[in-house]
């Protein structure tokens, strides 16, 4: 794809100005790294980093029946929500595989803000719209008129508080507030995709460069998609197209906690997902570390005694563990801790073992 | 362009360099190549004594982002590999022409050197790549 065909966030030229290497992701031209993936990764673990996540989709759903609609689309249970709280969920097909994963925030019982994956935004918008039927719900795509940043790392509370008109330490995990950052209206939630403490925020596209610059004026550094991926892999957060997809269910992806019983509510995929949750699945995603030298990557095959038992859904180098880690979808009978498996890396077989997950977590 | 492309080396279009000393050569990847790859975390080396034809992949260079093949710029036999890289793969990023060299080879055919690029020609090639 020619870069001129790619969508650009309002920060595109700013990224290039501060030395970003750019890459294509989900149809967008995004920064992959600024000073280097490993140093950016470590800086988020030690201090704080700012990520442009404006490529992600942002929808606003409003109306009397929004909660009813979402309860039929989501595998998680919206009765666990309350105003000012958000929830992670999967949207599934009838066969239990995944349309997308998302977070939605309850602004009030008739207004929800939803964040979806960049590459699935149009599909999600159509999917949600096609299930409105006679319900009183309107859905707006705010992706272009608003922009989004993640601010992640152990020092984020301390760095953010001098800029905001609220004490952000009062925001609990998965809760959000609307407040001012140096006079600019923002939506800010204590959520993230790194395994560190931190926030995700959304604001008008006209203000996002101001906010980006103000955050970079603190000790925080800009972080690209390269480190975003290595951070999420250490924390074992699923990535659409890798651990979850239209071929893999949330139970197989080992995020069964997100699938709720919801006794009196029918939701799409419920029958098969609850059956899988109760009875188990023939394949499951597990964590692997490579014991031999080398790097595991997506789609590498996993073997036991010469028999193929699965493949890597994600793999890479862990800057924290200083070795290669991965997530693999394997036959469930081989899912035992310390089980030794072989990974085919080009023409060679290398030893790996099943380990407990996540590889790292500090939220 | 801020890349270091020394004049005393020969280059392949796939971003390898070779330093000739008599009938032996030291080979590695260019400053431009290491910058494009980003943080290098592992190199899968060939065995000493293995023989390869020019352009053949002899090693895999793993960066955090991706894996790239390392092609031998001229035909020859591996007579030494840089063991330091096993412990400190970042040397390839930090010092691609000195501490980050990859292998020493015995050339099979000196005339193949004529097919390689001078530093000027290699610089023109990467300028073109950067424009695209």
């Amino acid at each position: 794809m020619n870069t001129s065909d790619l969508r650009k966030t309002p920060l595109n030229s700013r990224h290039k100005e501060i030395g970003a290497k750019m890459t294509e992701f989900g149809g967008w031209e995004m920064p992959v790294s600024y000073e280097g993936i490993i140093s950016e990764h470590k800086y988020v673990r030690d201090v704080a980093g700012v990520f442009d996540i404006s490529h992600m989709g942002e929808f606003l759903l409003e109306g009397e029946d929004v909660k009813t609609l979402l309860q039929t689309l989501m595998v998680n249970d919206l009765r666990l929500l309350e105003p000012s709280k958000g929830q992670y969920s999967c949207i599934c097909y009838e066969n239990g595989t995944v349309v997308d994963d998302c977070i939605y925030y309850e602004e009030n019982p008739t207004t929800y803000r939803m964040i979806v994956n960049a590459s699935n935004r149009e599909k999600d918008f159509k999917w949600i719209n096609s299930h409105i039927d006679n319900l009183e719900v309107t859905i707006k795509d705010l992706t272009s008129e608003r922009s989004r940043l993640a601010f992640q790392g152990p020092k984020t509370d301390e760095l953010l508080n001098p800029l905001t008109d609220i004490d952000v330490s009062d925001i609990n995990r998965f809760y959000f507030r609307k407040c001012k950052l140096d006079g600019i209206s923002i939506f800010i939630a204590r959520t993230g995709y790194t395994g560190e403490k931190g926030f995700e925020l959304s604001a008008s596209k006209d203000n996002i460069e101001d906010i980006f610059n103000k955050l970079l004026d603190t000790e925080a550094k800009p972080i690209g998609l390269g480190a975003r991926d290595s951070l999420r892999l250490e924390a074992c957060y699923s990535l659409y197209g890798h651990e979850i997809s239209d071929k893999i269910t949330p139970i197989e992806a080992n995020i069964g906690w997100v699938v709720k019983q919801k006794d009196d509510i029918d939701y799409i995929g419920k029958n098969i997902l609850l059956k899988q949750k109760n009875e188990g699945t023939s394949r499951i995603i597990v964590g692997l570390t490579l014991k031999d030298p080398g790097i595991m990557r997506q789609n590498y095959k996993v073997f036991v005694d010469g028999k193929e038992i699965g493949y890597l859904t994600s793999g890479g180098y862990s800057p924290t563990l200083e070795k290669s880690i991965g997530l693999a979808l394997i036959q469930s009978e081989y899912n035992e801790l310390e089980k030794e498996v072989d990974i085919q890396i080009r023409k060679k077989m290398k030893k790996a073992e099943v380990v407990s997950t996540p590889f790292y977590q500090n939220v | 362009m801020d890349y270091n492309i020394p004049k005393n080396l020969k280059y392949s279009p796939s971003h390898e360099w070779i330093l000739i000393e008599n009938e032996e050569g030291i080979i590695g990847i260019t400053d431009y190549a290491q910058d494009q790859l980003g943080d290098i975390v592992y190199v899968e080396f060939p065995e000493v004594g293995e023989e390869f034809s020019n352009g053949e992949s002899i090693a895999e260079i793993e960066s955090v982002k991706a894996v790239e093949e390392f092609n031998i710029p001229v035909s020859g036999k591996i007579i030494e590999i840089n063991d330091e890289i096993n412990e400190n793969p970042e040397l390839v990023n930090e010092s691609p022409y000195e501490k980050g060299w990859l292998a020493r080879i015995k050339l099979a055919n000196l005339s193949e050197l004529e097919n390689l690029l001078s530093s000027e020609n290699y610089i023109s090639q990467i300028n073109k790549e950067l424009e695209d």
Side-chain angles (χ1 to χ4, degrees), chain A residues 209-221:
Chain A
E209 189 164 345
D210 251 3
I211 299 171
F212 186 68
N213 291 338
K214 286 192 169 92
L215 293 176
L216 291 185
D217 283 344
T218 70
E219 266 176 81
K221 289 185 178 178

Side-chain angles (χ1 to χ4, degrees), chain A residues 9 34 50 55 74 87 116-118 132 136 162-163 172 186 190 205 217 240 243 252 272 274 278 300 322 329 362:
Chain A
T9 78
Y34 302 83
V50 188
H55 59 308
M74 299 298 168
Q87 182 176 69
V116 302
N117 282 302
I132 291 178
E136 197 193 312
L163 296 171
N172 290 324
I186 62 166
R190 190 179 287 278
K205 71 169 172 29
D217 283 344
Y240 193 87
E243 287 68 43
E252 292 173 320
I272 189 141
L274 288 182
N278 293 329
Y300 287 4
E322 296 185 334
L329 184 60
N362 188 35

